[in-house]
Amino acid sequence: MQKPKQRKLASRVFTSAGWVLGTFHVPEKVPFMEFLNGTQDFFTLTEVKLPRQGRPMPFLALQRSAAALIVPGKDEWNRDARNIENCRRVSCLFDGGLVLGTLELPEETRVSDHLMRKQHFIVLRNCTVGLDLGDVPSMEANPIVIANTDRVIGVAEMESESE
């Protein structure tokens, strides 16, 4: 059986061990979110740099449940962008930090209803990520962050500035 043509997507993945840098191999015609929410228990990463490791590794099978956050490379930021009118500012709490961002929702869908759908990963745009990495807390801005709902402790809808 021939493997479908694939595209490489350099990304950063936040795990309980820290940031893992690596390259996902995604079938060319499959959107990244569809790939992440697929049936596989492990993701194949190549060109991997582990936290506190000097030398890159050629391969890592990363368990899906280990990925709390994924920050895809710049090529992916606009690939799946849609013009969605129903956006909500949310705060996602997870072990080790907090992500503030905009969640795009299907029309007339509430945040809570959207989260009840069984999906492993959700896209947040225009994000601020705050991490408590022990002695070194950090904060960074990212155009897109993909959060693993299996690792999220809670999601709060933020008040809009007009309220």
Side-chain angles (χ1 to χ4, degrees):
M1 180 175 201
Q2 191 169 356
K3 197 173 193 178
K5 197 168 186 181
Q6 302 198 342
R7 70 183 193 275
K8 293 181 177 183
L9 178 58
S11 299
R12 295 185 304 138
V13 181
F14 186 72
T15 70
S16 60
W19 286 106
V20 173
L21 284 63
T23 301
F24 285 92
H25 294 260
V26 181
E28 199 170 75
K29 296 182 180 183
V30 176
F32 190 45
M33 287 303 295
E34 184 178 319
F35 170 78
L36 292 176
N37 284 315
T39 60
Q40 70 276 17
D41 290 330
F42 286 85
F43 298 125
T44 298
L45 295 173
T46 59
E47 306 161 33
V48 179
K49 183 139 181 5
L50 298 175
R52 297 172 290 285
Q53 297 292 319
R55 192 166 42 181
M57 299 169 46
F59 168 81
L60 176 72
L62 178 69
Q63 190 163 3
R64 177 198 348 232
S65 63
L69 303 174
I70 298 173
V71 179
K74 292 180 182 181
D75 292 346
E76 200 67 20
W77 287 349
N78 294 317
R79 185 179 183 96
D80 294 327
R82 298 174 307 229
N83 186 14
I84 293 181
E85 306 255 338
N86 191 16
C87 297
R88 303 287 171 78
R89 288 292 291 167
V90 296
S91 173
C92 296
L93 176 66
F94 61 94
D95 266 339
L98 185 71
V99 178
L100 303 172
T102 301
L103 178 63
E104 298 173 342
L105 302 169
E107 200 167 318
E108 297 189 31
T109 302
R110 299 180 308 178
V111 171
S112 58
D113 292 339
H114 184 66
L115 293 171
M116 295 299 166
R117 293 180 28 211
K118 184 56 183 162
Q119 56 189 348
H120 294 287
F121 293 91
I122 56 174
V123 175
L124 300 169
R125 297 190 186 279
N126 306 315
C127 298
T128 301
V129 178
L131 300 174
D132 183 5
L133 303 173
D135 295 339
V136 189
S138 71
M139 188 167 285
E140 64 180 55
N142 288 292
I144 187 170
V145 172
I146 300 169
N148 187 340
T149 59
D150 296 331
R151 297 283 307 273
V152 170
I153 295 168
V155 177
E157 187 170 349
M158 310 303 288
E159 291 183 13
S160 68
E161 293 178 15
S162 61
E163 292 179 5

